[in-house]
Amino acid sequence: MALLLSMNALAQDTPSFEVNTGAIYKTRFSLVTDAPAAQTDPLRALLETHLTLHEAMQNPRMNDSEWRRLLQKTPRDIADLLATAGYFNTKTQVYQPAAHLAEFRVALPPQAIVSDVALTITGEIQQPEHQTMYAATQTGWSLPVNSPFTQQAWSAAKRGLLSTLLRAEFPNAKITRSQAMVNPQTQQVQITIALASGPAVRIGQVHFHGLQHYQASQLRPLNTLSTGAPYRQADLLTLQNSLMSSGKFRAVEVAANTDALQADHIADVDVTVHELEQKSIRFGVGASTNTGARIVFNYTDRDLFDRGLLWDSSIRLEQRLQAATSNIGFLTDEKGYRDSIQNSVTRTDLEGQITTAVQNGVRRYWGQPSVFEQFIGANLLYEFLTVDGESSQFNKAATLAYGLNMRKLDNTLAPTKGWIFNTQFQFAPLDRLSDGRFLQSQARIQGFYPLTASTQWLGRLEVGAVTGASSVPATYLFRAGGDQSVRGYAFQSLGVKEADATIGGRVLLTGSSEIVQWLTASWGAAMFVDFGNAANRWKDYEPALGYGLGVRWRSPIGPVGVDIAYGEKTDDYRLHFNLGVNF
């Protein structure tokens, strides 16, 4: 005991804590240290979770003989366990106030500190053309001098050093020596680590495996890799995403043959695909707080006319919306263009307005959908409109369209930081094919920002305007309200009043601000304020406010939200449900 006190003359006991993992046997711990509580809290978790003694206490066959044996070896276990957290040469005293209660008083030395780092990097990375990568690898070492040394930090630093090269042009890099010399008397650690980069690898030929219904030549335009380009792990992932986005494969595996390099350090790439069934029929039921209960029938042909065309058709029956749609998607061509033919018949019955729209259109996309994508298109619309069960009219419009989609997100399924921007313009240039010339402009931006590690802010702003002819089809006018617009109001219930009905307006402005507090890794609570409306002129615009509370769940298929919102304009509460991020 004298030795213990002399080593810790200035130290103090932390508040003791008990571990009751068994029905009979109990343990109690106190740590003798001058370290702050924030530094010792992780040690408590280590002792509670990883000691062999606590695992044995949960065994119903535990007896007094085994209990005494484990008490004798536990001080050594404690020393080994705390060494992983950077506390070497700990001293533990054991007391037994009662037969089935053990007290452990652990004297902690100062946490070990890195005193010296000797980092050596050899290989082709030393060549002048790789100096930027060479310097980044050196400065990226995450366990510098004067940082606390723990086993976790030591392992993470080695992984980080190696992964910097593995993700870039040096997939054969390896650590040839790693040593951490600990002086338990001074609590200082000297680190020696050597890294061999290996050769700089370049991309060779891409070989497809597993194809049954498609020719490799049909998939070549989806290949985002360039022969002779520097190897990048991220580029392999881009190719995988490009093939998966075609809608033809259940799984895609992309691997570079970096272990069998050809001359000039060229690595061929093997792509193994697992095709989806060529024809599929799906039937589903569900419900939405926007358009009510629904039944959906979908038919997909992934090799239409044996030309690799993707035909996706569906019939959708909902309480307030019924639709039949057809979309034929062409494979990406050699210039990177993705064409589609779209046909649809849609009937909606909302707020006293019944709209039946028949549309036929074509579109061409190019760019990366996950980063920056553009499209142009042409569309022919025939529309039958009934307002408040009385006035009926027929509208038509032939339009040209241009749009772009931009994204910068840390995670596409459940983003926590980044933004999404969409805009499109639809122009009806010919009076003979339309009821008048007009231009519809629309833009939407969404933002995601982490305020703290567990608190997130989400924002949204959408604006739209229609200029030109006074007679514009209702399909191109704007209404607001609903899950992805202004919560607290029914779907598309905000707009221009005409008799007892609500019809679309020529201008739109909506927005939202939301705070999500994550209570666990998967569950969170939300507080939000929405605003917005549609009108015929900006001077007639009066925003409607909606605000409320919600629950968030990070599900395996994307974020799920359930909200209770109060609509200030209607003085009523509404339930809203949404799944995923609206792109």
Side-chain angles (χ1 to χ4, degrees):
M1 187 67 176
L3 175 63
L4 176 66
L5 293 176
S6 64
M7 289 179 60
N8 296 279
L10 301 178
Q12 296 181 348
D13 284 20
T14 63
S16 62
F17 58 93
E18 291 188 357
V19 181
N20 301 315
T21 58
I24 300 175
Y25 301 95
K26 296 179 173 56
T27 58
R28 183 182 297 150
F29 294 83
S30 62
L31 306 178
V32 184
T33 178
D34 56 0
Q39 188 173 321
T40 59
D41 283 346
L43 306 184
R44 173 174 176 168
L46 276 177
L47 295 172
E48 290 179 341
T49 307
H50 297 291
L51 275 181
T52 303
L53 175 65
H54 292 151
E55 181 180 352
M57 287 164 58
Q58 300 178 54
N59 190 334
R61 301 177 62 182
M62 179 79 164
N63 55 45
D64 288 352
S65 176
E66 179 67 6
W67 169 250
R68 288 190 296 270
R69 187 189 71 82
L70 289 171
L71 290 185
Q72 291 179 355
K73 69 182 292 288
T74 296
R76 181 69 261 171
D77 291 345
I78 292 175
D80 293 343
L81 191 59
L82 295 183
T84 66
Y87 295 90
F88 299 93
N89 200 25
T90 57
K91 305 295 183 181
T92 301
Q93 287 190 333
V94 185
Y95 305 92
Q96 277 194 272
H100 296 157
L101 172 63
E103 291 187 358
F104 299 92
R105 194 164 186 261
V106 184
L108 291 176
Q111 188 177 24
I113 299 296
V114 176
S115 62
D116 183 65
V117 177
L119 173 60
T120 305
I121 306 175
T122 59
E124 193 173 331
I125 194 174
Q126 294 178 299
Q127 298 298 320
E129 61 268 27
H130 302 300
Q131 283 304 300
T132 301
M133 175 62 68
Y134 181 78
T137 305
Q138 286 186 312
T139 58
W141 175 252
S142 62
L143 199 58
V145 172
N146 294 327
S147 58
F149 180 88
T150 68
Q151 185 62 47
Q152 182 179 8
W154 170 234
S155 299
K158 290 187 290 183
R159 286 196 306 270
L161 177 69
L162 189 58
S163 64
T164 300
L165 298 187
L166 294 180
R167 291 195 299 265
E169 299 173 57
F170 302 94
N172 294 325
K174 59 183 178 180
I175 293 175
T176 57
R177 184 185 180 191
S178 65
Q179 186 178 55
M181 296 290 293
V182 180
N183 186 332
Q185 303 305 319
T186 63
Q187 299 297 310
Q188 292 186 337
V189 182
Q190 292 182 320
I191 290 176
T192 302
I193 187 162
L195 179 68
S197 72
V201 175
R202 297 190 174 276
I203 296 296
Q205 298 297 318
V206 177
H207 305 284
F208 289 94
H209 308 278
L211 292 175
Q212 298 178 14
H213 299 89
Y214 311 110
Q215 299 296 320
S217 58
Q218 292 177 299
L219 303 181
R220 292 296 177 193
L222 296 174
N223 178 20
T224 55
L225 297 178
S226 300
T227 301
Y231 169 92
R232 293 282 190 277
Q233 204 171 69
D235 293 342
L236 302 186
L237 181 60
T238 299
L239 172 58
Q240 183 183 44
N241 291 337
S242 174
L243 293 168
M244 286 296 293
S245 65
S246 68
K248 299 182 181 300
F249 306 110
R250 182 183 301 106
V252 176
E253 300 159 9
V254 180
N257 295 315
T258 57
D259 292 333
L261 298 179
Q262 301 178 25
D264 299 325
H265 303 149
I266 295 294
D268 284 351
V269 176
D270 288 326
V271 178
T272 304
V273 299
H274 304 271
E275 295 182 2
L276 288 165
E277 59 275 16
Q278 291 304 290
K279 297 178 175 62
S280 63
I281 297 175
R282 298 190 302 274
F283 175 79
V285 297
S288 163
T289 50
N290 275 346
T291 52
R294 65 174 175 269
I295 300 174
V296 181
F297 173 84
N298 179 272
Y299 174 76
T300 300
D301 188 335
R302 294 178 176 84
D303 194 15
L304 185 65
F305 306 135
D306 297 323
R307 300 294 300 272
L309 305 179
L310 175 63
W311 181 34
D312 197 3
S313 58
S314 68
I315 296 176
R316 188 181 190 93
L317 303 176
E318 303 187 53
Q319 289 177 279
R320 293 180 288 276
L321 182 150
Q322 301 83 45
T325 62
S326 169
N327 185 84
I328 298 176
F330 291 72
L331 283 167
T332 304
D333 65 17
E334 296 291 342
K335 296 182 179 180
Y337 294 123
R338 301 180 297 278
D339 297 330
S340 65
I341 301 173
Q342 302 155 349
N343 310 93
S344 67
V345 179
T346 306
R347 180 185 183 277
T348 58
D349 186 352
L350 299 168
E351 303 298 321
Q353 177 177 288
I354 300 175
T355 307
T356 302
V358 180
Q359 299 194 66
N360 301 281
V362 294
R363 277 194 178 184
R364 165 166 286 186
Y365 293 85
W366 66 94
Q368 295 186 34
S370 60
V371 182
F372 184 86
E373 180 184 51
Q374 301 178 75
F375 72 84
I376 56 174
N379 189 72
L380 181 61
L381 166 74
Y382 294 105
E383 179 186 84
F384 304 89
L385 187 67
T386 301
V387 179
D388 203 21
E390 298 179 358
S391 58
S392 299
Q393 61 185 80
F394 169 74
N395 303 313
K396 65 180 185 298
T399 58
L400 302 176
Y402 169 78
L404 63 86
N405 305 309
M406 301 170 62
R407 303 179 192 178
K408 187 176 182 180
L409 301 171
D410 59 347
N411 185 297
T412 54
L413 268 182
T416 60
K417 186 177 182 179
W419 49 269
I420 306 167
F421 177 73
N422 316 102
T423 186
Q424 69 173 15
F425 304 91
Q426 299 196 78
F427 177 49
L430 300 175
D431 288 323
R432 287 183 298 175
L433 298 179
S434 306
D435 293 330
R437 289 183 291 179
F438 67 88
L439 171 66
Q440 185 211 55
S441 309
Q442 193 170 5
R444 177 187 179 103
I445 186 168
Q446 294 173 266
F448 309 85
Y449 188 78
L451 300 177
T452 69
S454 59
T455 309
Q456 183 185 14
W457 175 82
L458 299 86
R460 169 179 48 81
L461 188 66
E462 183 175 11
V463 61
V466 175
T467 58
S470 57
S471 56
V472 176
T475 300
Y476 293 107
L477 298 177
F478 301 106
R479 295 201 286 188
D483 302 339
Q484 299 292 338
S485 180
V486 185
R487 286 165 288 189
Y489 301 88
F491 179 55
Q492 294 195 359
S493 63
L494 298 173
V496 177
K497 294 296 182 182
E498 183 175 300
D500 294 331
T502 299
I503 63 175
R506 299 174 70 92
V507 296
L508 169 78
L509 179 62
T510 68
S512 176
S513 182
E514 179 174 313
I515 299 290
V516 179
Q517 179 62 51
W518 291 101
L519 307 175
T520 70
S522 301
W523 291 93
M527 178 174 61
F528 58 86
V529 177
D530 295 350
F531 76 91
N533 210 334
N536 274 329
R537 298 175 298 180
W538 285 117
K539 68 177 183 178
D540 298 327
Y541 175 82
E542 294 182 1
L545 290 178
Y547 39 86
L549 303 173
V551 176
R552 299 292 178 266
W553 176 40
R554 287 173 172 153
S555 78
I557 57 174
V560 176
V562 179
D563 298 316
I564 294 291
Y566 172 74
E568 198 173 75
K569 206 176 188 69
T570 58
D571 190 25
D572 197 7
Y573 291 89
R574 293 190 67 87
L575 174 69
H576 295 275
F577 172 84
N578 58 78
L579 169 63
V581 178
N582 187 32
F583 294 149

